[in-house]
């Protein structure tokens, strides 16, 4: 019997709570599943699916560096088109990488520098 059933949520820490909320809801356009401003927690996604969340960093020491940490990878229909759309919305993105017959993926960053990737089938 497996100990784990599925991935529930992937979360990122943020310092500027209001800017992060605006980025994910207005700029990126994600649907809020659960929010608690008092606790500094928002989950984005649909019921019974994996969620992406942000949590407000309230510790006295700086947020630990993100080198080597986990990266959420989201499914999209066409990674090249998503890169174009995000850039049109003013989001910092790397160029999409298309690996023929394998995958096409892109990377964008939230205002705090958290890296989020997205992937589609290869774009032929």
């Amino acid at each position: 019997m497996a100990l784990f059933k599925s991935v529930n949520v992937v979360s990122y820490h943020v310092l500027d709570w209001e800017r992060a909320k605006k980025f994910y809801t207005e700029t990126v356009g994600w649907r809020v599943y659960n929010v608690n401003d008092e606790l500094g927690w928002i989950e984005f996604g649909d019921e019974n699916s994996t969620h992406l969340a942000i949590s407000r960093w309230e510790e006295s020491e700086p947020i630990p560096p993100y080198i080597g940490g986990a990266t959420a990878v989201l499914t999209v229909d066409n990674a090249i088109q998503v890169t174009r759309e995000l850039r049109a919305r003013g989001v910092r993105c790397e160029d999409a990488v298309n690996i023929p017959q394998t995958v096409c993926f892109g990377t964008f960053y939230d205002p705090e520098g958290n890296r989020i990737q997205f992937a589609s089938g290869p774009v032929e």
Side-chain angles (χ1 to χ4, degrees), residues 36-124:
N36 186 321
D37 282 315
E38 186 177 325
L39 294 176
W41 180 262
I42 300 177
E43 287 182 44
F44 303 95
D46 296 319
E47 190 171 344
N48 299 319
S49 68
T50 302
H51 296 169
L52 188 128
I54 58 173
S55 63
R56 185 175 51 228
W57 183 260
E58 296 178 338
E59 304 297 322
S60 59
E61 62 272 355
I63 295 175
Y66 295 106
I67 298 170
T71 300
V73 181
L74 312 170
T75 302
V76 298
D77 289 330
N78 183 311
I80 292 172
Q81 288 178 351
V82 170
T83 299
R84 284 187 200 124
E85 179 61 30
L86 288 172
R87 284 180 172 160
R89 296 180 187 189
V91 177
R92 181 178 137 216
C93 297
E94 295 178 7
D95 290 338
V97 176
N98 189 44
I99 301 171
Q101 301 176 337
T102 306
V103 67
C104 185
F105 66 93
T107 303
F108 73 97
Y109 299 86
D110 77 2
E112 306 237 2
N114 291 308
R115 181 178 70 173
I116 302 167
Q117 291 186 318
F118 47 92
S120 67
V123 178
E124 304 300 331

